[in-house]
Amino acid sequence: MLMNRKILIFGGASEGRIIAAALSGAGHDVTLSVATEYGREAADAAGAEVLAGRLGGGEMADYIKGGRFECVIDATHPYATVATQNVRLACSAAGTEYLRIFRPEAAGYPGAVYVPDAEAAAEALGVNGDKALLTIGSKGLEPFTRISGYEKKLYIRILPMAESLEKAYRLGFRGSNIICMQGPFDFDMNVATLKMTGARCLVTKEAGDAGG
């Protein structure tokens, strides 16, 4: 049981904020590390000290040692495999206890087409030629730019962050096809967005119920 410990949590996703708030409320000295200033804004209500900015593996190890953290909790996004690897290696180098939080998988959806990665999704969209709404975030957009006429066919919903918008423009997406919004999004909002864009396909990630 964690009692009065100095704890570092990596992750700006909902799990990280919930855990930070719970541990802080229980009297622990908690620092929540998030990648961006946008993540800092979302984490302000967690009641923990918030560190914003991406850390490399060596920087993580130095920060863990320097902060004398007794435990590190990895609550990064399920698809942030590089971040998880860096956190695990940093904890090993610092000799600090490492705990990984796993998000439960969502139930399957009848009628959905499952593909292993963004490349396969882009290939499938390229074959059917339909308009599509991408709700996968800005990091996985590159494969979809190989679809003929993607800048007209594809609508993207991304976080309202300058770096995300700049990347979308850099990849050639048009302003009329970029939707910058912060979730979570309910059923009615998703239906309205699909109707507004005329999309016949929705591309999303299987990130568990917590991921929307």
Side-chain angles (χ1 to χ4, degrees):
M1 183 176 180
L2 298 175
M3 296 297 293
N4 300 319
R5 303 182 72 181
K6 190 170 185 182
I7 302 167
L8 174 61
I9 302 172
F10 284 96
S14 57
E15 291 92 342
R17 298 192 295 271
I18 292 170
I19 294 168
L23 292 176
S24 295
H28 300 290
D29 183 357
V30 180
T31 298
L32 176 59
S33 176
V34 297
T36 65
E37 286 298 325
Y38 178 86
R40 182 201 290 275
E41 293 177 11
D44 278 344
E49 179 182 349
V50 180
L51 171 69
R54 290 183 173 85
L55 299 176
E59 292 174 311
M60 283 183 183
D62 291 341
Y63 185 75
I64 293 169
K65 287 180 181 178
R68 297 184 179 180
F69 293 100
E70 302 169 64
C71 175
V72 172
I73 298 176
D74 178 5
T76 55
H77 193 277
Y79 288 97
T81 54
V82 174
T84 287
Q85 182 180 24
N86 286 341
V87 175
R88 185 183 292 114
L89 291 175
C91 287
S92 178
T96 303
E97 181 182 7
Y98 169 85
L99 299 175
R100 173 62 168 141
I101 301 300
F102 290 99
R103 178 180 294 181
E105 293 185 0
Y109 300 98
V113 175
Y114 288 86
V115 292
D117 50 36
E119 285 76 12
E123 184 177 350
L125 282 182
V127 171
N128 68 34
D130 288 335
K131 284 186 177 182
L133 172 64
L134 309 185
T135 63
I136 59 172
S138 61
K139 291 183 179 180
L141 293 175
E142 282 88 346
F144 297 91
T145 62
R146 295 192 283 271
I147 297 174
S148 177
Y150 72 93
E151 68 281 1
K152 298 178 182 179
K153 295 177 182 176
L154 304 183
Y155 291 82
I156 60 174
R157 190 170 69 193
I158 57 178
L159 288 172
M161 297 170 53
E163 60 186 85
S164 298
L165 185 57
E166 289 169 2
K167 179 176 181 179
Y169 276 123
R170 189 169 64 250
L171 290 174
F173 288 94
R174 305 190 307 184
S176 59
N177 289 46
I178 301 173
I179 303 168
C180 291
M181 296 179 68
Q182 177 185 353
F185 304 101
D186 62 16
F187 176 83
D188 291 335
M189 173 61 78
N190 284 324
V191 170
T193 305
L194 289 167
K195 287 182 177 179
M196 179 192 73
T197 58
R200 295 178 59 82
C201 241
L202 170 68
V203 180
T204 189
K205 291 178 179 178
E206 200 298 281
D209 290 334

